[in-house]
Amino acid sequence: MIELFPAIDTFTVFPLNAIFLANNLLSVILGEKWHAMQVPQWMRFTARLGCSIPPIVLAALFPSLSGTLDFTGIVAVILPFIVTPLLHRHSLLKCLRTWTYAQMEEAERNGGFRSVLSPPPRVLAFGVGGAMLLIACLTFQFTGAGAA
């Protein structure tokens, strides 16, 4: 039973992940229209289907569970080390359209959101380090380097 757990877990969570991804994409693309619930049912269905089909096709083309787990492990690099700095940069630029940099720093400090990694140069360094780590992971993944 323990051997089946990863496959069962993936199978049961997959529909939720596809719906979650589709909803987030629609929210980003449609903005206020999505938040006001003015998106037609067919558009939600199409987005959810569009987010569901690529993983199914890829799973059919590459059926090796170990290869899939190796590749999806790269997501653990992409999310914290690349997506997070990009979101920080995007949020900062959007906020700076409304407030000055000094106001932003003060609001972050007062709200408890300021850390040693908050200044933009450090976020940039974090993102560059993440990109280098991703390149190394992809190199190892596709060349087989580092395999015992």
Side-chain angles (χ1 to χ4, degrees):
M1 191 65 169
I2 291 174
E3 294 88 16
L4 293 176
F5 179 75
I8 292 171
D9 181 52
T10 302
F11 182 72
T12 57
V13 173
F14 174 73
L16 295 173
N17 288 339
I19 291 170
F20 181 72
L21 175 61
N23 288 351
N24 281 317
L25 289 173
L26 287 172
S27 173
V28 168
I29 293 167
L30 301 176
E32 287 302 317
K33 189 174 181 182
W34 171 259
H35 296 295
M37 293 189 233
Q38 297 173 344
V39 178
Q41 180 69 28
W42 69 267
M43 191 178 287
R44 288 191 302 251
F45 176 79
T46 304
R48 291 171 183 170
L49 191 62
C51 289
S52 299
I53 290 176
I56 293 170
V57 170
L58 289 172
L61 293 174
F62 305 101
S64 168
L65 183 59
S66 67
T68 303
L69 292 176
D70 286 345
F71 185 73
T72 56
I74 293 172
V75 173
V77 172
I78 294 171
L79 287 178
F81 296 112
I82 295 180
V83 172
T84 301
L86 287 173
L87 287 173
H88 182 278
R89 174 111 175 110
H90 179 74
S91 298
L92 180 63
L93 292 176
K94 194 167 186 173
C95 289
L96 288 176
R97 286 187 218 135
T98 305
W99 301 291
T100 66
Y101 192 78
Q103 290 172 319
M104 282 293 304
E105 280 188 326
E106 182 182 350
E108 284 181 342
R109 208 174 12 262
N110 292 341
F113 296 111
R114 196 84 176 144
S115 76
V116 295
L117 294 175
S118 293
R122 292 184 184 156
V123 173
L124 177 63
F126 199 72
V128 168
M132 291 170 41
L133 181 60
L134 177 63
I135 290 168
C137 289
L138 289 172
T139 301
F140 290 141
Q141 175 71 29
F142 292 115
T143 64

